[in-house]
Structures are given as C-alpha cells and as structure tokens.
Amino acid sequence: MISPKQILKKHWGFTEFRPLQEEIISAVQKQKDVIALLPTGGGKSICFQIPALAKEGVCLVISPLIALMQDQVENLNTKGIKAKTIPSGISQDEIITLFDNIKFGGVKFLYISPERLQSYFIQQKIKELNINLIAIDEAHCISEWGHDFRPSYRNIKILRELNPTSNFIALTATANKKVLEDISKNLDLNEPQIFKKSFFRENLAYQIFTVQDKLQRLIKIFTKTKKPAIIYVNSRKKTEQIAAFLNANNFKSSFYHGGLSTIEKTISFNNWMSEKTPIIVATNAFGMGIDKANVGLVIHLDLPSSIENYTQETGRAGRNNEKSFGVLLFNESDILLYKERLEKTLLSINEIKEIHKKLYQYFQISLGELSETTYSFNILEFSKKYNFSVLKVDSAIKLFVNNGIIEISNNYNKKSTLQFIVNSKTVLNYIENNTNIKNFTNSILRTYAGLFEQEVKINEFFIAKKAGITTSLVLENLNRLYNDNIITYNAVKSDAEFTFLFPREDDYTINRFSKEMKQYINQKKQKSEDLVNFVKNDSICRSIQVLNYFDESKTKNCGICDVCISKNRKVKKGISEEIINILNQNHSLSSSEISQSLVANEKDILIHLRQLLNDDKIRINHQNKYQLNL
C-alpha cells in the first residue's frame, strides 16, 4: 500500500510533513475518531485528504462555505484527484446522475454543506456510497461558543447512523476547551484523539498601535519593510482606495474582494504570489487556500470581527519561521464605529419574528402553507416596503439560512455591472440626440464613479430610487444604452432566490430556534467585547492575551509585541522640549508630521503631546494641528 509520505510527494511535492500532520494521519488510518486543532497555516486539509487517498472509497467532507468547497475541489482536480460538490439549484435527476458519477467514476472526495445534508434524499444517496472517512471542516461551527456557530452542524451526527463503520475527523483553526468539548459531544465521537498545536508563534510579533493618520503610517511601514504583505480592510471600496494610494506612493499593490470576477481574483492573486505586486489589500474574502510562506506582514486597517478572526488572519504571516509582524492600526473613532456597526446588526427575537413573518407575507404565502416555489428576492425592495434596516434584514436572513429555515442561492448580494465603452464626448452627443434618456444617463454618471475606466457594480433598485422612476424603466433604459453600444451591462437577475424549508407558522417557527438564536447573538456581543478589551489592553503581553483566550497558560512574555517592546524600552527624555522647538520653527504641525521630525516612538510622542496640551503649552487649531499656545 502507498505510504502517506509517497502520497504527499506525488500530489503536493513535499517530502516532509508539518508538525502533527503525520501523527494525525496515522490516527485516522487506525480508524480512530480525531479532533485536530491546527492554527491557520498548519495544513489541516492534508490531514484528511492523504488518509482518504490511501484507501478505497470516497471521503465525505462537510464544509460551511460554498466558496471554500469550490476552492478545495478545484485544487484537488488540478492535482489529478477527482473531487465533486453538489451545485445549488440542481434537480433531483441531476443529483442522481452526480451520485452515479461519484460511485462509478473514481471520485475520491465529495464536499457538501451541513444544510444540504438535512435532505432525506441526499442522506439516502450518501448511504449508497462507500464512505472511507467523514471530515468536518471548520468544526468550531458546531458549538454555540465557536465563532460562526451553525446550528445545522448539530445534525451532522446523522452520518453515524448512515455510515456506522466510517470514522470522523473534525478540524478547526480556532477553538478553546469548551468548543472542543462541544465538538466531541455533538458529533458523538468515540473516545476521540485530540491533537492540538499551540497558538504560540515565537516568530510573529503582534503589534497594535493607536494611530490618527493611518495612511502616513502605511508609508512609514512600507518604506522600512520590503517583504510581501496583506492589508485587511472591511469594505470592498476601501481595498481599491488603499491600493490606489499605495501605488500613487510607488508601493506596488493590488486589491482583492468578493465582488471581483473569477478572472480578476486570479490576476490579483497571481500578481501577489509572484510578487509583481508584493502588497495585496483585501477584505476577509482573501484567505482561503493561501499558502505563501514568506509573507512578512499582515496589517489590519480596520478592527476584525473577533480575536479568532484576528489570529487566523495574522497567522498568514511568517510561515517560513522568519520574524514577521501582525500589525493593527486603530483609534478611538474605530472603536466607536465598531460598536455602532454591531448595534446596527444585532437583532432582538421580536425583530427576528417580525422580519420572518413579513418574508412570508411578501411572497403571499398563507398560514400553514409550505411553498415549494423558488422566489426572486431583492433585499432593498423588501426592506423599503416594510421599513426595515437593510443591515438587520441581512443579519436575519443569515440566521434563517444557518438554522435551516430558508435556502438561498449563490446570487445573494451579487450585483449587476456597468461600464461606458465610449468616451464622454460621444456620451454627450448621444444624450443630446436622445433627450428622453438624458436625465437618466446623467443620474447614473452622478451616482457612480469610474464608469469610463472599469466595470462598476450597480443596483438597479437604488438607481430607480435616485432617478424617481420604476425599476422596470431602469432596466428598459439600461438595455437601450446597451443595444446602442454605449455601455456594457451584465445584469444579475435578482439579489437572491429563496426556497422556504418550513411551512408558514410565524412565531412558532422562530420559537423553536429562539434559544440558539439568543445564544448566537449573546456570543457575538461577547466576542466583540473580548476584541475591544484585547486591542485596548496595553499592559499584558499580546501573545499571553491570545493564548489565555484559547485556554493556553503561558507566563513568559514574547518580548517582541508592542506591549513587551514598550516595557523594555527606556522612555526617551526631552521629547516635550523637542516638540516645542519643532513647533517654534513651524507654525503648526499634525501629530504624524511631528513624529516624522523626531527620532522617538510615536506612542511616547502622543503621551507628551497630551501632557503639553494639559499644561496649556500647546493647543490644537481649526485644522486639527498642534501649535504653540502663545
């Protein structure tokens, strides 16, 4: 029989395993149930892929994200390993054909979502397969205390009945003791062997700084650091803006977010991997399948959603064991915005019930009726009709999907795109000759920037609202511009397609899931508080804080985080005098301009600025700059 190392060499090109991989694979091959806790970059997938390849049959992989499943399926297929997933929206006949291909076509991996597993028909088709291993990826989702809790994960144990001879391997990158216990209990694991790699990274320096001018700090960082870097931000628009700013300052960068086309994502990713653009600015959509060993720097320009997300994302730095940095830049306004955003998305049970009831009303479904129709849904239209916050509707829909109340297509939150393919002079001539479309065209040009340079994502309902016309007239006008070769227009049919999985029972349906929903909301609040406390705690070593969060006890300071460096560094004397001298020579300066003029730590400079303000020796003027208080 081919050995794990031979499989590793054949398909991945490596001759040695990473720490714990070989031990985990050995336990799986001995038919043991296994829980593997490997931080980001620990190579979790190999731990189930190699033992599955070493024996006859199909490995069933439960994964929560469609994009993650597709990414892994593509990666396996490029290695010559047959893997499949069940596309959304396919018919029962197509599912039968797919399972026949899996049974008789040498397919080694079937990736499936936990929601799809709830179908009795799918369960029976799985029963027909020769399953050699069941892998549960992102297993923390099974616990109400794990980030991204998914109640549908609780029903995975049905596979025990369907395939009693198959062993389980549960994998996660972020879990504390309580979550690991929940995983074992809820999967009915039989005396599982737990493999846990420490979260301690001796070569990774967590550095968190209070900064007012983040853009100037980026210039300062990249002037010193030439290693490949990832910058995480919380909006698609910001990825493009920050990348443009860096390029304008001669730092080669690209951007990446979920709204890009597959080709655009591939180009951005490849340019970064080849270091044609060594800096990539991204949302957290950038993360799956990244295996670049020499990333020296991960910067968060916005607060991440949790400590789990922070450690997962910073963990992409320093995989070559060289010193690397996880930098987070924040200020008090970031904390306020973070808290406000959380409040805007948190729901009460009454709000959840109201949105749920209105969804059925919106599609005219009667009490007691189980509709098998698939409905087109526009979140903006729905929110406007019932005067709901769009953010709260979005949060409620995610809860309904996670609890198996509705199923939603991949089109959710996708947008149509538009670009003018002629120059502005031609557009002006066109609208002068077609006056009935002039106001509409001008309205689009005022609403969206960059329409002549690239494809821009648009929302037809929003355009209709701005122009004061119907959505159908917007579509008619856009198609006219398209047919007259003025624009390219790629229309998305709707924001989403809904299928209701429960009959309409209003409050009764939500009451069944209210306990899980409340726990999810409470843990989201708790995780937000934990993150803010972590960011603001500058008295305890960052590594110790991270390890304590994940139930690891460590008392030795890392020596390289911002807290340790601050404690070890002797505070430079005479900073106040130097600030006064600099302000004497210059009428007024910002804090970043003062920092650039002084050879001192920015944190120390800010402390001295506050003291000088308190002593009335300096003041802040109307331009938000410091000047002497004469």
Coordinates of all heavy atoms in Angstrom, one line a residue, residues 78-110:
T78 N -7.0 20.0 -9.9 CA -5.7 20.4 -10.6 C -4.6 19.4 -10.3 O -3.6 19.3 -11.0 CB -5.3 21.8 -10.3 OG1 -5.1 21.9 -8.9 CG2 -6.3 22.8 -10.8
K79 N -4.7 18.7 -9.2 CA -3.7 17.7 -8.8 C -4.0 16.4 -9.4 O -3.3 15.4 -9.1 CB -3.6 17.6 -7.3 CG -3.0 18.9 -6.6 CD -3.0 18.7 -5.1 CE -2.2 19.8 -4.4 NZ -2.6 21.2 -4.6
G80 N -5.0 16.3 -10.2 CA -5.4 15.0 -10.8 C -6.2 14.1 -9.8 O -6.3 12.9 -10.1
I81 N -6.8 14.7 -8.8 CA -7.6 14.0 -7.8 C -9.0 14.4 -8.1 O -9.4 15.6 -8.0 CB -7.2 14.3 -6.4 CG1 -5.7 14.0 -6.1 CG2 -8.1 13.6 -5.4 CD1 -5.1 14.6 -4.9
K82 N -9.9 13.4 -8.3 CA -11.3 13.7 -8.6 C -12.1 14.1 -7.4 O -12.1 13.3 -6.4 CB -11.9 12.5 -9.3 CG -11.4 12.2 -10.7 CD -12.3 11.1 -11.4 CE -11.8 10.9 -12.8 NZ -12.6 9.8 -13.5
A83 N -12.7 15.2 -7.4 CA -13.5 15.7 -6.3 C -14.7 16.4 -6.8 O -14.7 17.0 -7.9 CB -12.7 16.7 -5.5
K84 N -15.8 16.3 -6.1 CA -17.1 16.9 -6.5 C -17.8 17.7 -5.4 O -17.5 17.4 -4.2 CB -18.1 15.8 -7.0 CG -17.6 15.0 -8.2 CD -17.9 15.8 -9.5 CE -17.6 14.9 -10.7 NZ -17.7 15.7 -12.0
T85 N -18.6 18.6 -5.7 CA -19.5 19.2 -4.8 C -20.9 19.2 -5.4 O -21.0 19.0 -6.6 CB -19.1 20.6 -4.4 OG1 -20.0 21.1 -3.3 CG2 -19.1 21.6 -5.5
I86 N -22.0 19.4 -4.6 CA -23.3 19.4 -5.2 C -23.7 20.9 -5.5 O -23.9 21.6 -4.5 CB -24.3 18.8 -4.2 CG1 -23.9 17.4 -3.8 CG2 -25.7 18.7 -4.8 CD1 -24.7 16.7 -2.7
P87 N -23.8 21.2 -6.7 CA -24.2 22.6 -7.1 C -25.6 23.0 -6.5 O -26.5 22.1 -6.5 CB -24.1 22.7 -8.6 CG -23.4 21.4 -9.0 CD -23.6 20.4 -7.9
S88 N -25.8 24.2 -6.2 CA -27.1 24.6 -5.7 C -28.0 24.7 -6.9 O -27.6 25.0 -8.0 CB -27.0 26.0 -5.0 OG -26.5 27.0 -5.8
G89 N -29.3 24.5 -6.6 CA -30.3 24.6 -7.7 C -30.4 23.5 -8.6 O -31.2 23.5 -9.6
I90 N -29.7 22.3 -8.4 CA -29.8 21.2 -9.4 C -31.0 20.4 -9.1 O -31.4 20.2 -7.9 CB -28.5 20.4 -9.5 CG1 -28.2 19.6 -8.3 CG2 -27.3 21.3 -9.9 CD1 -27.0 18.6 -8.5
S91 N -31.6 19.7 -10.1 CA -32.8 18.9 -9.9 C -32.4 17.6 -9.3 O -31.3 17.2 -9.2 CB -33.5 18.7 -11.3 OG -32.6 17.9 -12.1
Q92 N -33.5 16.8 -8.9 CA -33.3 15.5 -8.3 C -32.7 14.5 -9.3 O -31.8 13.8 -8.9 CB -34.6 15.0 -7.8 CG -34.5 13.8 -6.8 CD -35.8 13.5 -6.0 OE1 -36.5 12.6 -6.5 NE2 -36.0 14.3 -5.0
D93 N -33.1 14.6 -10.5 CA -32.5 13.8 -11.6 C -31.0 14.0 -11.7 O -30.2 13.1 -11.9 CB -33.2 14.0 -12.9 CG -34.6 13.3 -12.9 OD1 -34.8 12.5 -12.0 OD2 -35.4 13.7 -13.8
E94 N -30.6 15.3 -11.7 CA -29.2 15.7 -11.8 C -28.4 15.2 -10.6 O -27.2 14.8 -10.8 CB -29.1 17.2 -12.0 CG -29.6 17.8 -13.3 CD -29.7 19.3 -13.4 OE1 -30.1 19.9 -12.4 OE2 -29.3 19.9 -14.4
I95 N -29.0 15.2 -9.4 CA -28.4 14.7 -8.2 C -28.1 13.2 -8.4 O -27.0 12.7 -8.0 CB -29.2 15.0 -7.0 CG1 -29.1 16.5 -6.7 CG2 -28.6 14.3 -5.7 CD1 -30.1 17.0 -5.6
I96 N -29.1 12.5 -8.9 CA -28.9 11.0 -9.1 C -27.8 10.8 -10.0 O -26.9 9.9 -9.8 CB -30.2 10.4 -9.7 CG1 -31.3 10.5 -8.6 CG2 -30.0 9.0 -10.1 CD1 -32.7 10.2 -9.1
T97 N -27.7 11.5 -11.1 CA -26.6 11.4 -12.1 C -25.2 11.7 -11.4 O -24.3 11.0 -11.6 CB -26.8 12.3 -13.3 OG1 -28.1 12.1 -13.9 CG2 -25.7 12.2 -14.3
L98 N -25.2 12.8 -10.6 CA -24.0 13.1 -9.9 C -23.5 12.0 -9.0 O -22.3 11.7 -9.0 CB -24.2 14.4 -9.1 CG -23.1 14.9 -8.2 CD1 -22.0 15.5 -9.1 CD2 -23.5 15.9 -7.2
F99 N -24.4 11.4 -8.3 CA -24.0 10.3 -7.3 C -23.6 9.1 -8.1 O -22.7 8.4 -7.6 CB -25.1 10.1 -6.3 CG -25.1 10.9 -5.1 CD1 -25.6 12.2 -5.1 CD2 -24.4 10.5 -4.0 CE1 -25.6 13.0 -3.9 CE2 -24.3 11.3 -2.8 CZ -24.9 12.5 -2.8
D100 N -24.2 8.8 -9.2 CA -23.7 7.7 -10.1 C -22.3 7.9 -10.5 O -21.5 7.0 -10.6 CB -24.7 7.6 -11.3 CG -26.0 6.9 -10.9 OD1 -26.1 6.3 -9.8 OD2 -26.9 7.0 -11.7
N101 N -22.0 9.2 -10.9 CA -20.6 9.6 -11.3 C -19.6 9.4 -10.2 O -18.5 8.9 -10.4 CB -20.6 11.0 -11.8 CG -21.2 11.2 -13.2 OD1 -21.4 10.2 -13.9 ND2 -21.7 12.4 -13.5
I102 N -20.1 9.7 -9.0 CA -19.2 9.6 -7.8 C -19.0 8.1 -7.5 O -17.8 7.7 -7.3 CB -19.9 10.2 -6.5 CG1 -19.9 11.8 -6.7 CG2 -19.1 9.9 -5.3 CD1 -20.8 12.5 -5.8
K103 N -20.0 7.3 -7.6 CA -19.9 5.8 -7.3 C -19.0 5.1 -8.3 O -18.2 4.3 -8.0 CB -21.3 5.2 -7.4 CG -21.9 4.9 -6.0 CD -23.2 4.1 -6.1 CE -24.3 4.8 -6.7 NZ -25.6 4.0 -6.5
F104 N -19.2 5.5 -9.6 CA -18.6 4.7 -10.7 C -17.4 5.4 -11.4 O -16.8 4.8 -12.3 CB -19.6 4.2 -11.7 CG -20.8 3.5 -11.0 CD1 -22.0 4.0 -11.1 CD2 -20.6 2.2 -10.4 CE1 -23.1 3.3 -10.5 CE2 -21.6 1.6 -9.8 CZ -22.9 2.1 -9.8
G105 N -17.2 6.7 -11.0 CA -16.2 7.5 -11.8 C -14.9 7.7 -11.1 O -14.1 8.6 -11.5
G106 N -14.6 7.0 -10.0 CA -13.4 7.1 -9.3 C -13.2 8.4 -8.5 O -12.1 8.9 -8.3
V107 N -14.3 9.0 -8.1 CA -14.3 10.3 -7.3 C -13.8 9.9 -5.9 O -14.4 9.0 -5.3 CB -15.7 11.0 -7.3 CG1 -15.7 12.1 -6.3 CG2 -16.0 11.4 -8.7
K108 N -12.9 10.7 -5.4 CA -12.3 10.4 -4.1 C -12.9 11.4 -3.0 O -12.8 11.0 -1.8 CB -10.8 10.6 -4.1 CG -10.1 9.5 -4.9 CD -10.3 8.1 -4.4 CE -9.7 7.9 -3.0 NZ -10.0 6.5 -2.5
F109 N -13.4 12.5 -3.4 CA -13.9 13.5 -2.3 C -15.3 14.1 -2.8 O -15.4 14.5 -3.9 CB -12.9 14.6 -2.1 CG -11.6 14.2 -1.5 CD1 -10.5 13.8 -2.4 CD2 -11.4 14.1 -0.2 CE1 -9.3 13.4 -1.9 CE2 -10.2 13.6 0.4 CZ -9.2 13.3 -0.5
L110 N -16.2 14.1 -1.8 CA -17.5 14.7 -2.0 C -17.6 15.8 -1.0 O -17.7 15.5 0.2 CB -18.6 13.7 -2.0 CG -20.1 14.4 -1.9 CD1 -20.3 15.2 -3.2 CD2 -21.1 13.3 -1.8

